[in-house]
Amino acid sequence: MALVLESVGKKLGGEVHLHPLDLTLQPGTMNVLLGHTGAGKTSLLRVLAGLDRPTSGKLLRDGKDVTRATARERSVAMVYQQFINYPSLTVRANIASPLRKRSAAEIAGRVRELAQQLRIEELLDRLPGQLSGGQQQRVAIARALAKGADLLLLDEPLVNLDYKLREELRDELRLLFGAAGASAQAASRAAGHAATVVYATTDPAEALSLGGTTVVLHQGRVLQHAPALQVYHRPASLEAARVGSDPPLNVFAGRVRDGAIELGESLGGAARVPLAGHPHLARLPEGEYQLGLRASDCRLRPQAASDLPVRVQVELREITGSESFVYVRAADTASQLIVHQDGIADCQLDEALTIHLDPRRLLVFAKDGGALVSSYHEGP
Amino acid sequence: MAELVLQGVSHSYELARGASAVARKKPPAFALRELDLRWRDGGAYALLGPSGCGKSTLLGILSGLLRPTSGQVLFDGKDVTELSSRERNVAQVFQFPVVYDTMTVRDNLAFPLRNRGLSSQHIAQRVRDVADALELGPALDKRATRLTADEKQILALGRGLVREDVAAILFDEPLTVIDPHRKWMLRRKLKEIHRQFRHTLIYVTHDQTEALTFADEVVVMSTGAVLQRGTPEELFLRPAHTYVGTFIGSPGMNLLPCQLVTRDAQVWAKVGGHELGLGDGVRAALAQRAGESPRLELGIRPEHVTLEPGDGAAGVPLEVTAIEDHGRFRIVVGKLGGEAVEGGPLVVKARLPGGEPAAAAVGQTVRVRFAADRVCLYEQGHLVAAAPLPAPPPPSLAAASDAAEASP
């Protein structure tokens, strides 16, 4: 089922939750809504579900206007942050609850199949109250899948789970819905009714891990709708890059003049990057830009001859054992940068040292509006 | 600020409820098994573990909300086991922000300081300092009810930090409900404030990144027991227990059944029919081990599994079953080739650098190498051999690293 949103907007009491937006969700695809809290993710999900009516625009389902159809009239299932199950029903009955008008054997078979997929076969006779949070959420997802709806909406389903459980369930959701191993979906797709999945999250790592396409939402606007890796490598704008970066994107101002990007004002000293030798920078017109560089493209040790050395002072160091995050400030400037590197960073607080920025990985954005001007990644 | 010590502390909610020995049919369940822990004055510590591991019980015992079934709580050598939170003078920050909605940010921050005989000038200055440190300055005159969820949590942090005379500040999952991009800022704030004010901080979380980045030293707990206490580097490179190996790291440590064999007067680890070399450090540790057990588990982190270039015979064959591209890095999942193993194929994950082109494809068989010096060997879950840490820890960590690993 293709779902098309045409200038769909949502206002509530004079406050804009969604600016009029256009969005097409292809049948059987995994779509991740990525945005900060308050970006409009839940508003959009509720409009998609038919729980809220948009204040402007139209929703077309396979070309048919369903804007005014209620949630009940649409084929939609939803999974929430909170673990919502019928507390007095067993896991088996919870999963079976949307299955109607089928033989008992058919229902039992489908429940078993879903329980197997979500690894809760052992728990079928228990009550939700006897389960851990992760198990309860698995039951809620199994029930949503049992509904066999055309549209499956998940609103930050893992946010209330322990970190490790989150990682584990995310892996499984990727296999269930994701682009990587859509085996479960493939069977349904062959049968002609693969669900379109929309998954809301605040976590860029989750968007990358689930794969599929990412819809970047910010302040009620869609900033980008593209495959997850494209959002990572070719963010449509500075804001989209920020929403999609964890750790935060390093951003600094630069001016292109005389065949180089001059960064002295933002990074101190006479920092400049020659345009020649960097295919994605070579044809930048003169003028002012905002530059983005991921923390993992800044290093404590030089790696390539083209690296740009920048004098900095260490403000903070975080070590996870496998990785280090070093927060620095460029000497004599207000520019704060994060260096993300594998292993234990060999530096001390307040130490003055030189870090090395990799110009081959610079993202170039317009000074005004922040639209992407050039990325190291060619894109499709 | 104080040094915090737990001596022989254990806790059973059943016994605390006063369930009599006769009424109970089973021995009582202990949420916390007997343990000894010490947190030095002015240190930043974390308690890390999954839900139900006992970390919140431990926090409750430290804060005075729970009286332990056994043992003593000492603050700077003084027994405070019977004292309330208030008498112990600890500040707490919870998962959900505790702030007074009807008060301004300024009054919220000042509240814990009132009725403590401080001059209003002193209070105003302290409120200003903490507000500046947390970047709450511009919001001082806003009512708390008008703040966003994460601003409220920052304010709750501020309320915890504002008192200079507290023995310790206890954080119970304070960043769980915060957006990832705000966590970076808040973690940074917490660290900076710790540097500035040097409170004893104890931070409870299930999130390894939060624990490892926040603390100089982390206590990892599972099912009511302490499995390991150490610096982030120790927990990463020398997990004392397989549970720590899998809990820490994304993805966690690969664990593979292994046997030790001796060939050419050297010990090798046999995994799925392949004889794998061991680093000198691992061999030295093995040589010192008393007793012998043929059945071990080999632990190797995905970060320490590398692809062998070319079509050579080096390394071990891995049939790639999935690749997850995270942009900066890729997780390659595969089945280890070789002899059939009880319980199905051995799954190995490797964390490889991102970028183009991908060095492996699904369905392809590649050859991988385990970094010989980063292999850890386990017997019934417990570490029996691993190389020492590569270099002495940097000075800032050395100060907090007489990390006696408590035995579970």
Side-chain angles (χ1 to χ4, degrees):
Chain A
M1 176 216 50
L3 197 61
V4 177
L5 285 74
E6 285 182 3
S7 339
V8 164
K10 178 74 190 168
K11 281 189 208 167
L12 201 65
E15 207 176 318
V16 179
H17 287 219
L18 294 173
H19 292 278
L21 58 89
D22 300 314
L23 193 64
T24 301
L25 304 176
Q26 298 296 346
T29 54
M30 171 75 188
N31 304 271
V32 177
L33 288 184
L34 176 66
H36 301 156
T37 299
K41 301 188 297 297
T42 302
S43 303
L44 184 52
L45 287 179
R46 290 183 63 84
V47 166
L48 288 172
L51 293 169
D52 288 336
R53 201 164 284 170
T55 32
S56 68
K58 284 196 292 196
L59 252 96
L60 305 173
R61 184 186 146 177
D62 287 335
K64 193 175 144 236
D65 191 335
V66 293
T67 318
R68 308 187 74 79
T70 62
R72 207 168 261 282
E73 292 159 346
R74 300 184 195 191
S75 176
V76 179
M78 192 143 172
V79 177
Y80 299 87
Q81 281 183 20
Q82 299 78 14
F83 316 132
I84 300 174
N85 293 298
Y86 297 109
S88 60
L89 298 184
T90 62
V91 168
R92 186 190 310 279
N94 260 288
I95 301 174
S97 63
L99 297 169
R100 305 250 160 80
K101 295 182 198 156
R102 299 193 200 195
S103 73
E106 225 180 311
I107 291 176
R110 182 72 181 133
V111 168
R112 209 167 28 244
E113 191 186 334
L114 288 165
Q116 216 166 10
Q117 270 177 20
L118 285 147
R119 299 212 232 159
I120 43 176
E121 306 130 277
E122 314 294 314
L123 310 173
L124 283 172
D125 295 315
R126 298 224 208 145
L127 293 172
Q130 300 168 317
L131 307 180
S132 72
Q135 292 166 338
Q136 289 184 45
Q137 195 64 317
R138 284 166 194 268
V139 175
I141 293 169
R143 196 181 56 241
L145 287 171
K147 209 169 166 189
D150 294 339
L151 186 60
L152 175 60
L153 308 173
L154 302 108
D155 193 0
E156 300 194 47
L158 307 185
V159 81
N160 285 327
L161 295 178
D162 271 16
Y163 187 85
K164 269 286 148 174
L165 276 174
R166 204 182 294 169
E167 204 174 273
E168 191 184 308
L169 197 47
R170 190 171 75 189
D171 267 5
E172 286 169 31
L173 292 181
R174 184 172 57 85
L175 292 175
L176 274 175
F177 315 122
S183 58
Q185 282 279 88
S188 326
R189 203 171 290 138
H193 51 74
T196 300
V197 182
V198 183
Y199 183 111
T201 180
T202 58
D203 185 354
E206 207 157 282
L208 282 163
S209 161
L210 288 166
T213 58
T214 300
V215 179
V216 184
L217 263 184
H218 188 63
Q219 298 178 343
R221 292 177 207 276
V222 172
L223 300 184
Q224 191 168 10
H225 183 197
L229 276 172
Q230 196 184 331
V231 171
Y232 182 85
H233 290 300
R234 283 188 69 80
S237 64
L238 179 55
E239 212 51 69
R242 284 192 153 127
V243 173
S245 294
D246 185 67
L249 185 72
N250 294 316
V251 180
F252 37 90
R255 177 186 293 119
V256 170
R257 197 162 56 185
D258 302 333
I261 310 177
E262 296 174 353
L263 299 162
E265 272 177 44
S266 49
L267 299 182
R272 64 199 294 279
V273 173
L275 301 183
H278 301 294
H280 78 291
L281 304 177
R283 270 178 282 161
L284 277 183
E286 297 209 333
E288 294 187 46
Y289 297 92
Q290 299 187 78
L291 301 153
L293 190 64
R294 290 218 159 73
S296 48
D297 297 319
C298 303
R299 303 184 187 92
L300 294 185
R301 303 200 186 295
Q303 199 178 58
S306 62
D307 281 353
L308 173 71
V310 173
R311 290 296 295 169
V312 299
Q313 186 169 14
V314 176
E315 294 193 321
L316 186 73
R317 192 180 67 146
E318 293 181 333
I319 292 172
T320 72
S322 57
E323 310 171 289
S324 303
F325 304 103
V326 184
Y327 299 65
V328 301
R329 182 187 298 275
D332 312 316
T333 73
S335 298
Q336 290 178 315
L337 303 170
I338 300 181
V339 177
H340 178 188
Q341 69 162 53
D342 290 334
I344 308 282
D346 180 20
C347 64
Q348 299 305 317
L349 289 181
D350 300 323
E351 187 181 337
L353 47 79
T354 301
I355 62 167
H356 305 269
L357 313 191
D358 190 344
R360 296 171 299 180
R361 304 279 292 179
L362 275 175
L363 294 166
V364 185
F365 303 99
K367 186 184 179 229
D368 301 314
L372 182 72
V373 176
S374 180
S375 161
Y376 55 87
H377 194 272
E378 289 283 316
Chain B
M1 276 147 285
E3 177 191 67
L4 274 53
V5 174
L6 297 180
Q7 269 178 5
V9 162
S10 71
H11 193 70
S12 159
Y13 287 96
E14 274 171 53
L15 293 178
R17 271 200 307 272
S20 75
V22 184
R24 279 186 285 105
K25 296 209 174 72
K26 302 182 284 190
F30 274 80
L32 205 58
R33 290 184 261 162
E34 191 172 314
L35 52 81
D36 299 293
L37 279 170
R38 184 165 69 100
W39 290 282
R40 213 168 285 115
D41 186 4
Y45 299 97
L47 283 175
L48 174 66
S51 297
C53 73
K55 60 190 192 298
S56 293
T57 302
L58 187 50
L59 200 68
I61 288 169
L62 273 175
S63 69
L65 293 175
L66 279 178
R67 229 192 97 205
T69 306
S70 75
Q72 271 115 45
V73 184
L74 307 176
F75 282 16
D76 277 340
K78 183 178 154 228
D79 189 337
V80 297
T81 320
E82 303 291 328
L83 300 186
S84 69
S85 301
R86 196 178 163 79
E87 291 164 319
R88 290 183 193 191
N89 207 8
V90 292
Q92 291 195 77
V93 180
F94 300 95
Q95 182 173 352
F96 296 100
V98 178
V99 298
Y100 297 108
D101 271 345
T102 55
M103 287 189 194
T104 61
V105 168
R106 186 191 309 279
D107 286 338
N108 263 290
L109 288 175
F111 193 83
L113 299 177
R114 304 241 161 93
N115 306 319
R116 290 187 171 266
L118 299 169
S119 73
S120 54
Q121 203 183 351
H122 181 95
I123 293 177
Q125 187 55 48
R126 181 72 185 170
V127 165
R128 172 52 69 183
D129 288 349
V130 170
D132 282 349
L134 289 170
E135 293 175 26
L136 281 173
L140 273 174
D141 294 311
K142 263 196 196 174
R143 280 192 197 287
T145 184
R146 299 191 55 85
L147 301 178
T148 62
D150 31 306
E151 285 172 333
K152 277 190 190 174
Q153 188 60 307
I154 297 175
L155 176 56
L157 290 178
R159 286 170 50 87
L161 294 163
V162 76
R163 281 163 53 198
E164 291 153 285
D165 61 344
V166 288
I169 307 177
L170 310 179
F171 298 92
D172 196 355
E173 315 235 349
L175 301 187
T176 299
V177 296
I178 304 290
D179 272 16
H181 75 290
R182 300 284 284 182
K183 280 187 188 176
W184 289 90
M185 191 273 280
L186 281 173
R187 264 169 29 202
R188 177 179 185 143
K189 289 283 152 229
L190 264 180
K191 291 277 253 191
E192 283 172 358
I193 284 170
H194 182 240
R195 270 179 87 189
Q196 195 178 338
F197 300 124
R198 284 289 159 199
H199 290 104
T200 306
L201 303 181
I202 297 180
Y203 188 112
V204 165
T205 180
H206 61 81
D207 185 317
Q208 47 164 328
T209 310
E210 281 177 36
L212 297 168
T213 52
F214 171 78
D216 304 323
E217 201 176 279
V218 178
V219 173
V220 185
M221 296 184 67
S222 170
T223 59
V226 172
L227 292 182
Q228 189 171 6
R229 167 180 194 161
T231 61
E233 191 182 16
E234 285 165 337
L235 298 179
F236 184 73
L237 292 179
R238 294 173 52 90
H241 194 277
T242 49
Y243 186 85
V244 179
T246 49
F247 195 80
I248 293 204
S250 289
M253 187 177 245
N254 295 299
L255 290 168
L256 308 163
C258 107
Q259 273 179 300
L260 296 181
V261 293
T262 305
R263 179 165 59 78
D264 305 335
Q266 270 194 322
V267 182
W268 303 72
K270 198 167 176 189
V271 175
H274 305 282
E275 284 182 10
L276 304 177
L278 297 170
D280 294 342
V282 187
R283 285 192 170 124
L286 270 181
Q288 298 202 341
R289 189 171 72 110
E292 272 213 14
S293 144
R295 288 198 168 273
L296 297 175
E297 270 182 294
L298 179 145
I300 184 82
R301 293 217 171 263
E303 287 84 349
H304 302 138
V305 179
T306 49
L307 278 190
E308 283 292 328
D311 306 325
V316 290
L318 188 75
E319 185 195 333
V320 178
T321 54
I323 298 178
E324 246 183 85
D325 194 334
H326 289 253
R328 189 176 82 84
F329 61 89
R330 287 191 184 87
I331 304 294
V332 173
V333 189
K335 293 187 281 194
L336 205 62
E339 284 173 15
V341 181
E342 223 178 296
L346 299 175
V347 173
V348 172
K349 294 186 176 185
R351 182 170 161 143
L352 304 173
E356 304 296 334
V362 173
Q364 191 190 352
T365 295
V366 295
R367 298 194 77 88
V368 294
R369 177 184 291 281
F370 297 172
D373 242 328
R374 294 275 68 94
V375 163
C376 296
L377 295 170
Y378 295 90
E379 184 177 354
Q380 291 179 347
H382 297 278
L383 183 69
V384 291
L389 294 182
S396 58
L397 286 177
S401 73
D402 67 341
E405 286 172 10
S407 55

